[in-house]
Amino acid sequence: MNYSYLIVQEEGSVLSVVLNRPKAMNALNNGLLSEFNLVLDQFERDPGIRLLVITGEGEKAFCAGADIKELVELSALEMKAFLSLGQRTFRRLETIGKPSIAVVNGVALGGGFELSLACSLRIASETASFGLPEVRLGMIPGYGGTQRLPRITGKGKALELLLTGKRISAEEAYQERIVNVVAARDTLQTEVEQWSETICRNSPVSIRMIMEAVDVGSHLSMDNALALETNLDALAADSNDKREGFAAFLEKRNPIFEGK
Ligand code: HXC
């Protein structure tokens, strides 16, 4: 597959996608989002792929958000279509049943920050920064920022970022539990590999159930969420992964999970 806006590579169990518009700070446009959906098709379809790693091309940006130069001319209906495409894409990423890591290598602004929030985990380089500047543009974050950020960091910090539009450093994002870890530029790749290896060693069946329990459960009452957890766990109990996990423990060896 030839992509115009992405660099896509498969390395073992990991599918890596690089947002590749460095001259525009890897801004999101229709073409990029459409191609991203093709990557999600591959991610969803191929049982050998267990993790998606997303980063930005170049030294400066993970992604500076929606392409402002394209947005400026859009009618309300065209804007609605563009918003809907991004929302559907990010929601699909979040609920696809396999984990994703945003490797935030530079600025993550607006829709770029929102893309990272739709990922399961965020690993930031120490030079990364995060912000939702839409309030300075007469818009609001339209790719889930008003919903996902408060759920991750809490309402107080989320409103601070939403209302000021200011940028925060990777370190501050870490303190606020927005990112999982901060790494120096020269150790970023090793850090990503270590997280990837750890996750890819685990049971894909467990991961799928955990992701559904956390995502769906967060919208339910405690009783309904716990019932969901029980049912997902019972479903996992009938998997080959569970048989392999228990057998490996009893035989004092490492499990080899097939994700079935
Ligand atoms: C289009 C962008 C862009 C963007 C940067 N560029 N961000 N083009 N859309 N979001 C382009 C610049 O126009 C410029 O191209 C080139 O990238 C380099 O940018 P500079 O500003 O010259 O670089 P620098 O001074 O280093 O500043 C980098 C920056 C700044 C901090 C990222 O560019 C910036 O603040 N960008 C806007 C970020 C933003 O507001 N994002 C939110 C978008 S709205 P030229 O050709 O001019 O040299 C959004 C809503 C999503 O995301 C959901 C609803 C649709």
Side-chain angles (χ1 to χ4, degrees), residues 21-25 27-28 60-61 64-71 79 82-83 107 109-112 114 132-134 137 139-143 167:
R21 302 186 67 211
K23 287 190 183 133
M25 298 276 167
L28 307 170
K60 290 177 88 172
D67 190 319
I68 296 173
K69 290 172 189 165
E70 284 196 13
L71 287 188
M79 180 66 92
F82 185 66
L83 285 166
V107 290
L109 297 176
E114 292 172 291
L132 294 169
E134 286 88 342
L137 294 168
M139 295 278 295
I140 71 168
Y143 288 164
R167 263 202 270 171

Side-chain angles (χ1 to χ4, degrees), residues 102-104 122-130 169-189 191-192 195:
V103 180
V104 184
R122 284 152 293 285
I123 299 179
S125 105
E126 60 190 358
T127 55
S129 60
F130 299 81
S169 66
E171 188 51 40
E172 187 172 348
Y174 176 73
Q175 298 297 337
E176 297 298 336
R177 290 175 291 179
I178 295 168
V179 305
N180 299 87
V181 67
V182 181
R185 260 196 181 275
D186 52 0
T187 59
L188 186 63
Q189 193 48 39
E191 188 75 37
V192 175
W195 283 72

